[in-house]
Amino acid sequence: MRYKFAARIYCAFEIEAESEEEAIAALEDAEMDTGNLGTLPDGSPIVARLETIEDASGSTEWSAVAIDGDEV
């Protein structure tokens, strides 16, 4: 049997771009599908299927939280 769980996951990811606007445009145009969250004790992968993605603040507008490792 397969058991499905719904979860709210917060993560951070980086996008290489010349400006924040370019990075946001790339993010908004990205095709999101699945993400690997690690492994279970038996080594099986934990694969998450992305259903929705939004800024961690809950805003409908994306904004960078760091640039080149420096928090903004």
Side-chain angles (χ1 to χ4, degrees):
M1 289 190 211
R2 295 178 69 98
Y3 298 90
K4 181 179 181 178
F5 298 91
R8 180 174 296 179
I9 299 170
Y10 295 96
C11 67
F13 47 88
E14 296 180 358
I15 297 173
E16 294 266 343
E18 295 297 318
S19 68
E20 183 175 358
E21 293 78 16
E22 182 181 311
I24 290 169
L27 177 60
E28 290 175 341
D29 290 342
E31 291 186 27
M32 308 265 178
D33 187 17
T34 61
N36 186 330
L37 301 179
T39 57
L40 296 171
D42 68 359
S44 301
I46 301 170
V47 178
R49 180 163 306 282
L50 300 176
E51 296 178 2
T52 61
I53 185 169
E54 63 184 29
D55 184 84
S57 69
S59 170
T60 57
E61 302 280 326
W62 286 98
S63 60
V65 296
I67 299 172
D68 289 334
D70 297 321
E71 292 187 20
V72 292

Coordinates of all heavy atoms in Angstrom, one line a residue:
M1 N 0.8 -1.2 0.0 CA 0.0 0.0 0.0 C 0.9 1.2 0.0 O 2.0 1.2 0.5 CB -0.9 0.0 1.2 CG -2.0 -1.0 1.2 SD -3.1 -0.6 2.6 CE -3.6 -2.3 2.9
R2 N 0.4 2.3 -0.5 CA 1.1 3.6 -0.5 C 0.3 4.6 0.2 O -1.0 4.7 0.0 CB 1.3 4.1 -2.0 CG 2.2 3.2 -2.8 CD 2.3 3.7 -4.2 NE 3.0 4.9 -4.3 CZ 4.3 5.0 -4.6 NH1 5.0 3.9 -4.9 NH2 4.9 6.1 -4.6
Y3 N 0.9 5.3 1.1 CA 0.2 6.3 2.0 C 0.7 7.7 1.5 O 1.9 7.9 1.4 CB 0.5 6.1 3.4 CG 0.0 4.7 3.9 CD1 0.8 3.6 3.9 CD2 -1.3 4.6 4.4 CE1 0.4 2.4 4.3 CE2 -1.8 3.4 4.9 CZ -0.9 2.3 4.8 OH -1.4 1.1 5.2
K4 N -0.2 8.6 1.3 CA 0.1 9.9 0.9 C -0.1 10.9 2.0 O -1.1 10.8 2.7 CB -0.8 10.3 -0.3 CG -0.5 11.7 -0.8 CD -1.4 12.0 -2.1 CE -1.1 13.4 -2.6 NZ -2.0 13.6 -3.8
F5 N 0.8 11.8 2.2 CA 0.7 12.8 3.3 C 0.8 14.2 2.7 O 1.6 14.4 1.8 CB 1.8 12.6 4.3 CG 1.8 11.3 5.0 CD1 2.5 10.2 4.5 CD2 1.1 11.1 6.2 CE1 2.4 9.0 5.2 CE2 1.0 9.9 6.8 CZ 1.7 8.8 6.3
A6 N 0.0 15.1 3.2 CA 0.1 16.5 2.7 C 1.0 17.2 3.8 O 0.8 17.0 5.0 CB -1.3 17.2 2.6
A7 N 1.9 18.1 3.3 CA 2.8 18.8 4.2 C 3.0 20.2 3.7 O 3.0 20.4 2.5 CB 4.1 18.1 4.4
R8 N 3.3 21.1 4.6 CA 3.8 22.5 4.2 C 5.3 22.5 4.5 O 5.7 22.3 5.6 CB 3.1 23.5 5.1 CG 3.5 24.9 4.7 CD 2.7 25.9 5.4 NE 1.4 25.8 4.9 CZ 0.4 26.5 5.4 NH1 0.5 27.4 6.3 NH2 -0.9 26.4 4.9
I9 N 6.1 22.7 3.5 CA 7.5 22.6 3.6 C 8.1 23.9 3.2 O 7.8 24.5 2.1 CB 8.1 21.5 2.7 CG1 7.5 20.1 3.1 CG2 9.6 21.5 2.7 CD1 7.8 19.0 2.1
Y10 N 9.0 24.5 4.0 CA 9.7 25.7 3.7 C 11.1 25.4 3.4 O 11.7 24.6 4.0 CB 9.6 26.7 4.9 CG 8.2 27.2 5.2 CD1 7.5 26.5 6.2 CD2 7.7 28.2 4.5 CE1 6.2 26.9 6.5 CE2 6.4 28.6 4.8 CZ 5.6 28.0 5.8 OH 4.4 28.4 6.0
C11 N 11.6 25.9 2.3 CA 12.9 25.7 1.9 C 13.5 27.0 1.2 O 12.8 27.9 1.0 CB 13.0 24.5 0.8 SG 12.2 24.9 -0.7
A12 N 14.8 26.9 1.0 CA 15.4 28.0 0.3 C 16.2 27.5 -0.9 O 16.6 26.3 -0.9 CB 16.4 28.7 1.2
F13 N 16.2 28.2 -2.0 CA 16.9 27.8 -3.2 C 17.5 29.0 -3.8 O 17.0 30.1 -3.6 CB 16.0 27.0 -4.2 CG 14.7 27.7 -4.5 CD1 14.6 28.6 -5.5 CD2 13.6 27.3 -3.7 CE1 13.4 29.2 -5.7 CE2 12.4 27.9 -4.0 CZ 12.3 28.8 -5.0
E14 N 18.6 28.8 -4.6 CA 19.3 30.0 -5.2 C 19.1 29.9 -6.7 O 19.1 28.8 -7.3 CB 20.7 30.0 -4.8 CG 20.9 30.2 -3.4 CD 22.4 30.2 -2.9 OE1 23.3 30.0 -3.8 OE2 22.6 30.4 -1.7
I15 N 19.0 31.0 -7.4 CA 18.9 31.1 -8.8 C 20.0 32.1 -9.3 O 20.1 33.2 -8.8 CB 17.5 31.6 -9.3 CG1 16.4 30.6 -8.9 CG2 17.5 31.9 -10.8 CD1 15.0 31.1 -9.1
E16 N 20.8 31.6 -10.2 CA 21.9 32.5 -10.8 C 21.2 33.5 -11.8 O 20.5 33.0 -12.7 CB 22.9 31.7 -11.6 CG 23.7 30.8 -10.7 CD 25.0 31.4 -10.2 OE1 25.4 32.4 -10.8 OE2 25.6 30.9 -9.3
A17 N 21.4 34.8 -11.6 CA 20.8 35.8 -12.5 C 21.6 37.1 -12.4 O 22.3 37.3 -11.4 CB 19.3 36.0 -12.2
E18 N 21.4 38.0 -13.3 CA 22.0 39.3 -13.3 C 21.3 40.3 -12.4 O 21.9 41.3 -11.9 CB 22.1 39.9 -14.7 CG 23.0 39.1 -15.6 CD 24.5 39.0 -15.2 OE1 25.0 40.1 -14.7 OE2 25.1 37.9 -15.2
S19 N 20.0 40.0 -12.1 CA 19.3 40.9 -11.2 C 18.2 40.1 -10.5 O 17.8 39.0 -10.9 CB 18.6 42.0 -12.0 OG 17.6 41.5 -12.9
E20 N 17.6 40.7 -9.4 CA 16.5 40.0 -8.7 C 15.3 39.8 -9.7 O 14.7 38.8 -9.6 CB 16.1 40.8 -7.5 CG 15.0 40.2 -6.7 CD 14.7 40.9 -5.4 OE1 15.3 41.9 -5.1 OE2 13.8 40.4 -4.7
E21 N 15.1 40.9 -10.5 CA 13.9 40.8 -11.4 C 14.1 39.6 -12.4 O 13.1 38.9 -12.7 CB 13.8 42.1 -12.2 CG 13.3 43.3 -11.3 CD 14.5 43.9 -10.5 OE1 15.7 43.6 -10.8 OE2 14.1 44.6 -9.6
E22 N 15.3 39.4 -12.9 CA 15.6 38.3 -13.8 C 15.4 37.0 -13.1 O 14.9 36.0 -13.6 CB 17.0 38.4 -14.3 CG 17.4 37.4 -15.3 CD 18.8 37.5 -15.8 OE1 19.2 38.6 -16.2 OE2 19.6 36.5 -15.8
A23 N 15.9 36.9 -11.8 CA 15.7 35.7 -11.0 C 14.3 35.3 -10.8 O 13.8 34.2 -10.9 CB 16.5 35.8 -9.7
I24 N 13.5 36.4 -10.5 CA 12.0 36.2 -10.2 C 11.4 35.7 -11.5 O 10.5 34.8 -11.5 CB 11.4 37.4 -9.7 CG1 11.9 37.7 -8.2 CG2 9.9 37.3 -9.7 CD1 11.5 39.0 -7.6
A25 N 11.7 36.3 -12.6 CA 11.1 35.9 -13.9 C 11.4 34.5 -14.2 O 10.5 33.7 -14.7 CB 11.6 36.8 -15.0
A26 N 12.7 34.1 -14.0 CA 13.1 32.7 -14.2 C 12.3 31.7 -13.3 O 11.8 30.7 -13.7 CB 14.6 32.5 -14.0
L27 N 12.1 32.1 -12.1 CA 11.4 31.3 -11.1 C 9.9 31.2 -11.5 O 9.3 30.1 -11.5 CB 11.5 31.9 -9.7 CG 10.7 31.3 -8.6 CD1 11.1 29.8 -8.4 CD2 10.8 32.1 -7.3
E28 N 9.3 32.3 -11.9 CA 7.9 32.2 -12.3 C 7.7 31.4 -13.6 O 6.6 30.9 -13.8 CB 7.4 33.7 -12.5 CG 7.3 34.4 -11.1 CD 6.9 35.8 -11.2 OE1 7.0 36.4 -12.3 OE2 6.4 36.4 -10.2
D29 N 8.7 31.3 -14.5 CA 8.6 30.5 -15.7 C 9.0 29.1 -15.6 O 8.9 28.3 -16.5 CB 9.4 31.2 -16.8 CG 8.8 32.5 -17.3 OD1 7.6 32.8 -17.0 OD2 9.5 33.3 -17.9
A30 N 9.6 28.7 -14.4 CA 10.1 27.4 -14.2 C 9.0 26.4 -14.2 O 7.9 26.6 -13.8 CB 10.9 27.3 -12.8
E31 N 9.3 25.2 -14.7 CA 8.4 24.1 -14.6 C 8.7 23.3 -13.4 O 9.8 22.7 -13.3 CB 8.5 23.2 -15.9 CG 8.0 23.9 -17.1 CD 8.0 23.0 -18.3 OE1 7.9 21.8 -18.1 OE2 8.1 23.5 -19.4
M32 N 7.9 23.3 -12.4 CA 8.1 22.6 -11.1 C 7.4 21.3 -11.2 O 6.3 21.2 -11.6 CB 7.5 23.4 -10.0 CG 8.0 24.9 -10.0 SD 9.4 25.1 -8.9 CE 9.7 26.8 -9.1
D33 N 8.0 20.2 -10.7 CA 7.4 18.9 -10.7 C 7.6 18.2 -9.4 O 6.7 18.1 -8.6 CB 8.0 18.1 -11.9 CG 7.3 16.8 -12.1 OD1 6.2 16.6 -11.6 OD2 7.9 15.9 -12.8
T34 N 8.9 17.7 -9.2 CA 9.1 16.9 -7.9 C 10.4 17.4 -7.3 O 11.2 18.1 -7.9 CB 9.2 15.4 -8.2 OG1 10.3 15.2 -9.1 CG2 8.0 14.9 -8.8
G35 N 10.6 17.1 -6.0 CA 11.8 17.4 -5.3 C 12.1 16.2 -4.4 O 11.3 15.6 -3.8
N36 N 13.4 15.9 -4.3 CA 13.9 14.8 -3.4 C 14.1 15.4 -2.0 O 14.9 16.3 -1.9 CB 15.1 14.2 -3.9 CG 15.6 13.0 -3.2 OD1 15.4 12.9 -2.0 ND2 16.2 12.1 -3.8
L37 N 13.5 14.9 -1.0 CA 13.6 15.5 0.4 C 14.5 14.6 1.3 O 14.6 14.9 2.4 CB 12.2 15.5 1.0 CG 11.2 16.4 0.3 CD1 9.9 16.4 1.1 CD2 11.7 17.8 0.1
G38 N 15.1 13.6 0.7 CA 16.0 12.8 1.5 C 15.6 11.3 1.4 O 15.0 10.9 0.4
T39 N 15.9 10.5 2.4 CA 15.6 9.1 2.3 C 15.0 8.6 3.6 O 15.2 9.1 4.7 CB 16.9 8.3 2.1 OG1 17.9 8.5 3.1 CG2 17.5 8.6 0.7
L40 N 14.3 7.5 3.5 CA 13.7 6.8 4.6 C 14.8 5.9 5.2 O 15.8 5.7 4.6 CB 12.5 6.0 4.2 CG 11.3 6.8 3.7 CD1 10.3 5.8 3.0 CD2 10.7 7.6 4.7
P41 N 14.6 5.4 6.4 CA 15.6 4.5 7.0 C 16.1 3.4 6.2 O 17.2 3.0 6.2 CB 15.0 4.0 8.3 CG 14.0 5.1 8.7 CD 13.5 5.6 7.4
D42 N 15.2 2.9 5.3 CA 15.6 1.7 4.4 C 16.3 2.2 3.1 O 16.6 1.4 2.3 CB 14.4 0.9 4.1 CG 13.4 1.6 3.2 OD1 13.6 2.8 2.8 OD2 12.4 0.9 2.8
G43 N 16.5 3.5 3.0 CA 17.2 4.0 1.8 C 16.3 4.5 0.7 O 16.7 5.0 -0.3
S44 N 15.0 4.2 0.8 CA 14.0 4.7 -0.2 C 13.9 6.2 -0.2 O 13.9 6.8 0.8 CB 12.6 4.1 0.1 OG 12.6 2.7 0.2
P45 N 13.8 6.8 -1.4 CA 13.8 8.2 -1.5 C 12.4 8.8 -1.0 O 11.4 8.1 -1.2 CB 14.0 8.5 -3.0 CG 13.5 7.3 -3.7 CD 13.8 6.2 -2.7
I46 N 12.5 10.0 -0.4 CA 11.3 10.7 -0.1 C 11.1 11.7 -1.2 O 11.9 12.7 -1.3 CB 11.4 11.4 1.2 CG1 11.6 10.4 2.4 CG2 10.1 12.2 1.5 CD1 12.0 11.1 3.7
V47 N 10.2 11.5 -2.1 CA 10.0 12.4 -3.3 C 8.7 13.2 -3.1 O 7.6 12.6 -2.8 CB 9.9 11.6 -4.6 CG1 9.7 12.5 -5.8 CG2 11.2 10.8 -4.8
A48 N 8.8 14.5 -3.2 CA 7.7 15.4 -3.0 C 7.2 15.9 -4.4 O 8.0 16.3 -5.2 CB 8.0 16.6 -2.1
R49 N 5.9 15.8 -4.6 CA 5.4 16.4 -5.9 C 4.9 17.8 -5.5 O 4.1 17.9 -4.6 CB 4.2 15.5 -6.4 CG 3.6 16.1 -7.7 CD 2.8 15.1 -8.4 NE 3.5 13.9 -8.7 CZ 4.4 13.7 -9.7 NH1 4.7 14.7 -10.4 NH2 4.9 12.5 -9.9
L50 N 5.4 18.8 -6.2 CA 5.1 20.1 -5.9 C 3.7 20.4 -6.5 O 3.4 20.2 -7.6 CB 6.1 21.1 -6.5 CG 7.5 20.9 -6.0 CD1 8.4 21.9 -6.7 CD2 7.6 21.2 -4.5
E51 N 2.8 20.9 -5.6 CA 1.4 21.2 -6.0 C 1.2 22.7 -6.1 O 0.5 23.2 -7.0 CB 0.4 20.5 -5.1 CG 0.5 19.0 -5.1 CD -0.5 18.3 -4.1 OE1 -1.2 19.0 -3.4 OE2 -0.5 17.1 -4.1
T52 N 1.8 23.4 -5.1 CA 1.7 24.9 -5.1 C 3.1 25.4 -4.6 O 3.7 24.7 -3.9 CB 0.6 25.5 -4.3 OG1 0.8 25.1 -2.9 CG2 -0.8 25.0 -4.7
I53 N 3.4 26.6 -5.1 CA 4.7 27.2 -4.6 C 4.4 28.7 -4.4 O 3.8 29.3 -5.3 CB 5.9 26.9 -5.5 CG1 7.2 27.4 -4.9 CG2 5.6 27.4 -6.9 CD1 8.4 27.0 -5.6
E54 N 4.8 29.2 -3.3 CA 4.6 30.6 -3.0 C 5.7 31.1 -2.2 O 6.5 30.3 -1.6 CB 3.3 30.9 -2.4 CG 3.1 30.3 -1.0 CD 1.8 30.5 -0.4 OE1 0.8 30.6 -1.1 OE2 1.7 30.4 0.8
D55 N 5.9 32.4 -2.1 CA 6.9 33.1 -1.3 C 6.7 32.6 0.2 O 5.5 32.5 0.6 CB 6.8 34.6 -1.4 CG 7.9 35.3 -0.7 OD1 9.0 35.4 -1.2 OD2 7.6 35.7 0.5
A56 N 7.7 32.4 0.9 CA 7.6 31.9 2.3 C 6.8 32.8 3.2 O 6.2 32.4 4.2 CB 8.9 31.6 2.9
S57 N 6.8 34.1 2.9 CA 6.0 35.1 3.7 C 4.5 35.0 3.4 O 3.8 35.7 4.1 CB 6.5 36.5 3.3 OG 6.1 36.9 2.0
G58 N 4.1 34.2 2.4 CA 2.7 34.1 2.1 C 2.3 35.2 1.1 O 1.2 35.2 0.6
S59 N 3.3 36.0 0.7 CA 3.0 37.1 -0.3 C 2.8 36.5 -1.7 O 3.4 35.4 -2.0 CB 4.2 38.1 -0.3 OG 4.0 39.0 -1.4
T60 N 2.1 37.1 -2.5 CA 2.0 36.7 -3.9 C 3.1 37.2 -4.8 O 3.3 36.9 -5.9 CB 0.6 37.2 -4.6 OG1 0.6 38.6 -4.4 CG2 -0.5 36.6 -3.9
E61 N 4.0 38.1 -4.2 CA 5.1 38.6 -4.8 C 6.4 38.0 -4.3 O 6.6 37.9 -3.1 CB 5.2 40.2 -4.5 CG 4.0 40.9 -5.0 CD 4.0 41.2 -6.5 OE1 5.1 41.4 -7.0 OE2 2.9 41.2 -7.1
W62 N 7.3 37.6 -5.1 CA 8.6 37.0 -4.7 C 9.5 38.1 -4.4 O 9.5 39.2 -5.0 CB 9.2 36.2 -5.8 CG 8.5 34.9 -6.1 CD1 7.5 34.6 -7.0 CD2 8.7 33.6 -5.3 NE1 7.1 33.3 -6.9 CE2 7.8 32.7 -5.9 CE3 9.5 33.3 -4.3 CZ2 7.7 31.4 -5.4 CZ3 9.4 32.0 -3.8 CH2 8.5 31.0 -4.4
S63 N 10.4 37.9 -3.4 CA 11.5 38.8 -3.0 C 12.6 38.0 -2.5 O 12.5 37.0 -1.8 CB 11.0 39.8 -2.0 OG 10.6 39.2 -0.8
A64 N 13.8 38.4 -2.9 CA 15.0 37.7 -2.4 C 15.2 37.9 -0.9 O 14.9 39.0 -0.4 CB 16.3 38.2 -3.2
V65 N 15.8 36.9 -0.3 CA 16.1 37.0 1.2 C 17.6 37.2 1.3 O 18.1 37.5 2.4 CB 15.5 35.9 2.0 CG1 14.0 35.9 2.0 CG2 16.1 34.5 1.5
A66 N 18.4 36.9 0.3 CA 19.9 37.0 0.3 C 20.4 37.2 -1.1 O 19.8 36.7 -2.0 CB 20.5 35.8 1.0
I67 N 21.5 37.9 -1.2 CA 22.1 38.1 -2.5 C 23.6 37.7 -2.3 O 24.3 38.3 -1.4 CB 22.0 39.5 -3.1 CG1 20.5 39.8 -3.3 CG2 22.8 39.7 -4.4 CD1 20.2 41.3 -3.6
D68 N 24.1 36.7 -3.1 CA 25.5 36.2 -2.9 C 25.8 35.9 -1.5 O 26.8 36.2 -1.0 CB 26.5 37.2 -3.5 CG 26.4 37.3 -5.0 OD1 26.1 36.3 -5.6 OD2 26.8 38.4 -5.5
G69 N 24.8 35.3 -0.8 CA 25.0 34.8 0.6 C 24.8 35.9 1.7 O 24.7 35.6 2.9
D70 N 24.6 37.1 1.3 CA 24.3 38.2 2.2 C 22.8 38.4 2.4 O 22.2 38.7 1.4 CB 25.0 39.5 1.8 CG 26.5 39.4 1.7 OD1 27.1 38.7 2.6 OD2 27.1 39.9 0.8
E71 N 22.3 38.3 3.6 CA 20.9 38.5 3.8 C 20.5 40.0 3.5 O 21.3 40.9 3.7 CB 20.5 38.2 5.2 CG 20.6 36.7 5.5 CD 20.0 36.3 6.9 OE1 19.3 37.1 7.4 OE2 20.4 35.2 7.3
V72 N 19.3 40.1 2.9 CA 18.8 41.5 2.6 C 17.6 41.8 3.4 O 17.0 41.0 4.0 CB 18.5 41.6 1.1 CG1 19.7 41.6 0.3 CG2 17.5 40.6 0.7

